[in-house]
């Protein structure tokens, strides 16, 4: 397709303009309309970015029609069953799978950065006891820039790398601390002898008066969920991180912005919303009523965990989770989990309903992830926090990629102005 162009005709003046087609390694080509306004004096309009590629990226590829997800070219199914979360983190950050020595080096760096500055604990103490852990996460991650300003020169590649390592390492510590605060228990320090997920479980569930031995099944399940959540191309939170970072803002501020975006129920907040929904449905006999509510355009209710902007086929991550869900619940002695049975029944009914079939609405990654987190003893309000911990790897990978791209410039969309045309100020006595 090299040298191919697309013609855009401006019906207002009858003139036509040629624009180059840009091609990646796989996936649809994109019309490069960056000079459209300069040449033709018109904008493009694409709310929700339905047809807009915002950047070049070599990190993650999705084929929504076929249900394919690749991290740096590797199928998610292979990584999910064979790799560790930090191995995947290295892959996303640096572009290649690490050899043994590089992996050990990376694990050591991440492990050595897991502690928080002691004064950061004061931030957590300032939150009310019933603050949502996502609220604490947004605030505390944003405040990291006030503590680690020794490496905030975003134009300096080594500084970017140090900040990326700090974020990946400290997110679990902050997340677990937010949880401990919400239940009134003392914060647990990280343990350097434990792997990433086992250490997270330790910080969540150990107390100073009682040791906690993270179980292998729980660690494996968390490792899998973290890999599945690690990156997902230019989703809302990643695009938020990129947009914030395009102004040269520091990475802690950018990731805090990403966490805020993830929190919404249409995005990462869906895993918490799915569990709320399943509890509300309560019994298989109520499923049909909720399906009808989801189809009713006058009812704001949506089937949470269903549908996806890109996947018009089964979300490959949901397929993996669904398969391991049984196994994990059995191993964790939670096999007759009524919510899992309810979720399966809901899925079955929805997938045979014309409304969902016609719109290609399939279960997404969040439909089953909450059920596993719940079986691991993680409370509902922590589900999106878990997602944020895993997605931090994707956010920092995209942020690093963007800043090393010579085409990077500040993100600045335009608008179709629909307000009043110019008018004169009227003194208050005359209004
Ligand atoms: N329940 C009922 N109807 C739905 C649903 C749903 N979950 N999702 C989409 N629809 C309908 C929607 O009403 C519309 O119907 P119509 O064409 O008659 O107006 C059609 O399907 C297309 O939906 P859309 O809202 O235009 O699609 P979108 O690409 O803008 O939204 C979505 C995608 C994920 C926000 C949406 O499917 C949704 O709200 N799902 C529930 C929330 C959810 O599970 N989010 C997690 C996404 S995966 C993890 C992540 O990205 O963080």
């Amino acid at each position: 397709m090299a040298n191919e162009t697309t013609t855009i005709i401006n019906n207002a003046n009858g003139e036509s303009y040629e624009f180059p087609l840009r091609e990646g390694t796989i996936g649809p080509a994109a019309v490069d309309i960056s000079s459209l306004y300069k040449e033709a004096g018109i904008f493009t309009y694409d709310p929700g970015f339905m047809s807009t590629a915002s950047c070049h990226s070599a990190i993650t590829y999705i084929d929504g029609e076929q249900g394919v997800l690749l991290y740096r070219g590797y199928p998610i199914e292979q990584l999910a069953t064979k790799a560790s979360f930090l191995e995947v983190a290295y892959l996303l950050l640096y572009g290649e799978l690490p050899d043994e020595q590089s992996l050990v080096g990376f694990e050591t760096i991440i492990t050595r950065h897991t502690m928080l500055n002691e004064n950061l604990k004061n931030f957590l103490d300032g939150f009310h006891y019933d603050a949502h852990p996502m609220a604490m996460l947004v605030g505390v991650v944003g405040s990291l820039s006030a503590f680690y300003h020794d490496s905030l020169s975003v134009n300096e590649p080594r500084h970017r790398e140090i900040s990326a390592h700090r974020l990946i390492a400290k997110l679990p510590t902050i997340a677990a601390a937010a949880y401990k605060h919400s239940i009134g228990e003392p914060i647990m320090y990280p343990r350097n002898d434990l792997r990433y997920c086992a250490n997270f479980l330790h910080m969540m569930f150990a107390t100073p008066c009682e040791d906690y031995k993270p179980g292998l099944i729980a660690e494996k399940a968390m490792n899998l969920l973290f890999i599945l959540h690690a990156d997902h191309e230019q989703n809302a939170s990643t695009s938020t991180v990129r947009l914030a970072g395009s102004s040269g803002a520091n990475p802690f501020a950018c990731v805090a912005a990403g966490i805020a975006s993830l929190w919404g129920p249409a995005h990462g907040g869906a895993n918490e919303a799915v569990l709320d929904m399943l509890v509300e449905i309560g019994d298989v006999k109520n499923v049909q009523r909720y399906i009808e509510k989801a189809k009713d355009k006058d009812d704001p209710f949506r089937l949470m965990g269903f549908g996806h902007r890109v996947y018009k086929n089964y979300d490959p991550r949901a397929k993996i989770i669904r398969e391991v869900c049984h196994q994990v619940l059995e191993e964790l002695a939670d096999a007759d989990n009524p919510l899992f049975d309810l979720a399966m029944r809901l899925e079955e009914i929805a997938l045979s309903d014309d409304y969902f079939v016609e719109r290609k609405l399939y279960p997404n990654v969040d439909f089953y992830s909450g059920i596993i987190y719940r079986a691991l003893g993680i409370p509902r309000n922590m589900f999106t926090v878990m997602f944020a911990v895993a997605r931090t790897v994707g956010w920092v990978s995209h942020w690093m990629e963007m800043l090393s791209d010579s085409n990077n410039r500040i993100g600045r969309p335009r608008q179709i102005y629909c307000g009043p045309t110019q008018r004169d100020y009227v003194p208050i006595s005359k209004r």
Side-chain angles (χ1 to χ4, degrees):
M1 206 183 278
N3 300 325
E4 279 205 31
T5 57
T6 291
T7 304
I8 293 184
I9 299 173
N10 183 353
N11 284 335
N13 60 13
E15 284 183 27
S16 61
Y17 307 87
E18 295 275 297
F19 294 96
L21 276 184
R22 287 193 180 268
E23 242 193 323
T25 45
I26 29 175
V31 187
D32 180 350
I33 46 92
S34 50
S35 64
L36 176 68
Y37 177 62
K38 206 158 100 194
E39 287 185 39
I42 50 173
F43 297 141
T44 53
Y45 175 63
D46 185 17
F49 305 109
M50 302 291 286
S51 307
T52 296
S54 62
C55 59
H56 284 99
S57 181
I59 300 176
T60 290
Y61 174 74
I62 303 172
D63 182 334
E65 301 299 325
Q66 300 300 320
V68 171
L69 170 61
L70 310 175
Y71 290 168
R72 300 280 189 186
Y74 295 101
I76 192 66
E77 293 78 5
Q78 292 179 21
L79 294 170
T81 47
K82 298 188 171 119
S84 74
F85 176 65
L86 282 189
E87 202 179 343
V88 170
Y90 184 102
L91 172 71
L92 290 168
L93 264 185
Y94 297 110
E96 295 297 337
L97 283 169
D99 58 19
E100 237 167 84
Q101 203 189 344
S102 312
L103 181 58
V104 171
F106 184 64
E107 285 170 344
T108 307
I109 290 170
I110 298 299
T111 305
R112 294 274 153 78
H113 275 302
T114 48
M115 285 230 293
L116 300 179
N117 184 303
E118 279 297 290
N119 290 316
L120 256 171
K121 287 204 274 183
N122 298 334
F123 274 78
L124 281 155
D125 286 342
F127 284 102
H128 201 44
Y129 73 94
D130 62 354
H132 195 289
M134 279 299 276
M136 293 191 246
L137 203 66
V138 175
V140 177
V141 170
S143 75
L144 289 177
S145 46
F147 291 88
Y148 302 103
H149 38 71
D150 58 345
S151 52
L152 288 186
S153 303
V154 297
N155 295 321
E156 177 60 59
R158 181 63 190 133
H159 279 206
R160 299 203 287 264
E161 189 180 29
I162 293 170
S163 293
H165 290 163
R166 280 184 168 145
L167 276 157
I168 295 170
K170 292 184 199 307
L171 251 287
T173 316
I174 298 171
Y179 171 60
K180 288 295 195 186
H181 179 81
S182 72
I183 56 169
E185 283 186 7
I187 290 170
M188 293 303 293
Y189 284 91
R191 269 181 46 187
N192 286 3
D193 60 323
L194 295 175
R195 287 182 293 260
Y196 192 85
C197 292
N199 178 47
F200 190 17
L201 287 163
H202 149 77
M203 291 188 291
M204 289 280 295
F205 298 119
T207 67
C209 32
E210 204 169 294
D211 201 15
Y212 164 86
K213 220 172 167 328
L216 206 57
I217 299 157
E219 185 188 350
K220 259 177 59 187
M222 185 173 278
N223 185 69
L224 171 82
L225 291 175
F226 277 13
I227 290 175
L228 298 181
H229 275 133
D231 193 43
H232 213 229
E233 218 238 34
Q234 311 306 324
N235 55 85
S237 57
T238 303
S239 298
T240 302
V241 170
R242 278 184 176 261
L243 194 56
S246 74
S247 71
N250 74 71
F252 303 111
C254 298
V255 168
I259 295 169
S261 168
L262 184 78
W263 197 358
H267 193 7
N271 55 12
E272 185 180 340
V274 168
L275 249 281
D276 290 343
M277 176 187 76
L278 291 175
V279 169
E280 192 184 314
I281 296 176
D283 195 289
V284 172
K285 69 177 189 306
N286 299 326
V287 166
Q288 195 56 45
R289 187 157 57 85
Y290 279 85
I291 297 264
E292 295 312 318
K293 266 167 79 65
K295 289 156 50 174
D296 181 355
K297 293 289 170 207
D298 296 325
D299 190 324
F301 175 78
R302 278 191 166 198
L303 215 51
M304 299 314 289
F306 258 77
H308 197 274
R309 169 61 61 78
V310 183
Y311 293 121
K312 299 302 165 201
N313 196 328
Y314 218 99
D315 178 340
R317 303 167 300 172
K319 204 181 273 174
I320 297 168
I321 298 188
R322 190 186 194 279
E323 273 163 25
V324 297
C325 218
H326 255 308
Q327 193 192 337
V328 172
L329 294 182
E330 234 158 67
E331 288 175 348
L332 291 170
D334 198 13
D336 48 359
N337 183 320
L339 290 185
F340 184 50
D341 295 339
L342 186 57
M344 289 214 302
R345 188 75 187 114
L346 183 61
E347 176 189 325
E348 193 183 312
I349 296 177
L351 290 182
S352 59
D353 189 295
D354 283 350
Y355 174 95
F356 291 88
V357 174
E358 278 161 19
R359 290 169 180 74
K360 300 186 177 169
L361 299 170
Y362 291 87
N364 59 51
V365 66
D366 286 331
F367 193 65
Y368 287 109
S369 64
I371 294 173
I372 300 188
Y373 280 135
R374 189 171 181 266
L376 297 180
I378 291 167
R380 245 186 275 175
N381 64 0
M382 282 293 289
F383 291 177
T384 314
V385 172
M386 310 303 283
F387 194 158
V389 170
R391 184 55 59 86
T392 296
V393 167
W395 291 329
V396 294
S397 302
H398 282 271
W399 175 76
M400 299 233 303
E401 181 182 67
M402 180 185 72
L403 289 180
S404 55
D405 181 349
S406 56
N407 286 328
N408 176 44
R409 52 209 309 205
I410 188 165
R412 187 21 176 121
R414 300 304 303 268
Q415 61 174 8
I416 301 172
Y417 175 70
C418 300
T421 53
Q422 186 168 328
R423 49 186 172 162
D424 289 326
Y425 176 81
V426 181
I428 197 158
S429 56
K430 302 242 171 80
R431 277 176 235 158

